[in-house]
Amino acid sequence: MSFVSTRLRAAAFAAFTAVLLVSTGAPAPVAASTPADAVIRVAKAQLGDPWHYAATGPSSFDCSGLVYYSFRQAGYLSKIGGTRMTAAGYYSYFRNRGKASTTGGRPGDLVVYGGGSHIGIYLGNGYVISTLTSGVRIHGLYAVTARFTAFLHTGMSTTTTTATATSTAYRYTTTAVNLRNGPSVGYGVIKLLPTGTRFTVLGSARDYADRIWYKAQLSTGTVGWVIGRYTRT
């Protein structure tokens, strides 16, 4: 009886262990919920890859090469100028468009150090992924030798909410305001809307400065985005 009991206990333990190993295995991949998630997922897949001057992947990178590769592979290269640049080049590109600041960093934004000597991708919560001389690493925002310079706001973490009201929602512009291609001043202008223009609200979003934007459909059928502070119900 003792031998049988021991065998039963061993079998039960083995079955439990098998279940535990299955249940604690790697979780199934989760689909990206924002463009920033897609970019960050690509960047994290390069963790541990070595640094190499001017390299843009797929197995080695320099700092701006990782930025370029991650956005290109995720399909959002247009968000950072559409081409390969140096860290200083990306800084200049965003600063000239009024999209660089020392506050308000969101996941998917770029982080510049030393006035343009180093660049990485902001993960949120004070962490950055970038290519150091030791390779691609995740580190704290202030954990590199070069001094933090600015966030470059890509608008990648913007999430859009679709209007679900049972009745059609309308708003009116309170001054002349630009209708843009996306929910940020970094997007191109479609046209200037005169004061009092009525539009149908199709959805809403917030930009890197937490300003609300409305996805607007005009009476002509044209669709674009309007900053909310210049509209009313």
Side-chain angles (χ1 to χ4, degrees):
M1 291 293 291
S2 177
F3 176 76
V4 173
S5 177
T6 300
R7 290 290 299 273
L8 288 173
R9 285 197 299 270
F13 178 75
F16 171 76
T17 302
V19 172
L20 181 62
L21 289 173
V22 171
S23 64
T24 57
V30 177
S33 58
T34 68
D37 294 329
V39 170
I40 289 170
R41 184 170 55 192
V42 173
K44 284 185 174 180
Q46 317 316 314
L47 281 169
D49 285 353
W51 174 89
H52 192 277
Y53 177 72
T56 58
S59 57
S60 63
F61 304 87
D62 68 3
C63 64
S64 59
L66 177 67
V67 169
Y68 169 76
Y69 179 86
S70 300
F71 277 78
R72 186 188 67 186
Q73 290 297 108
Y76 294 101
L77 189 58
S78 62
K79 293 289 189 178
I80 58 171
T83 188
R84 166 81 152 98
M85 303 183 202
T86 63
Y90 284 123
Y91 181 35
S92 177
Y93 176 85
F94 280 84
R95 183 177 56 187
N96 290 342
R97 287 160 176 76
K99 297 167 72 175
S101 73
T102 57
T103 60
R106 292 195 172 189
D109 285 349
L110 305 184
V111 184
V112 172
Y113 296 89
S117 64
H118 184 67
I119 194 167
I121 300 170
Y122 191 54
L123 303 178
N125 298 317
Y127 287 94
V128 178
I129 184 168
S130 74
T131 310
L132 307 175
T133 54
S134 58
V136 179
R137 299 285 186 268
I138 292 175
H139 54 81
L141 180 61
Y142 302 104
V144 297
T145 303
R147 180 174 294 183
F148 167 76
T149 299
F151 292 110
L152 309 183
H153 302 292
T154 64
M156 299 292 287
S157 62
T158 298
T159 55
T160 303
T161 302
T162 303
T164 57
T166 55
S167 58
T168 303
Y170 296 106
R171 294 188 72 86
Y172 298 82
T173 59
T174 58
T175 186
V177 62
N178 288 324
L179 182 71
R180 296 183 178 271
N181 288 314
S184 164
V185 293
Y187 287 91
V189 176
I190 298 173
K191 64 183 298 184
L192 180 67
L193 302 181
T195 303
T197 299
R198 189 177 85 158
F199 60 88
T200 303
V201 178
L202 301 179
S204 64
R206 290 186 180 274
D207 63 14
Y208 67 86
D210 207 36
R211 296 171 296 201
I212 191 166
W213 290 71
Y214 292 107
K215 189 173 185 180
Q217 182 175 40
L218 306 183
S219 59
T220 58
T222 302
V223 175
W225 291 83
V226 178
I227 191 166
R229 64 183 177 183
Y230 298 131
T231 70
R232 62 171 178 80
T233 55

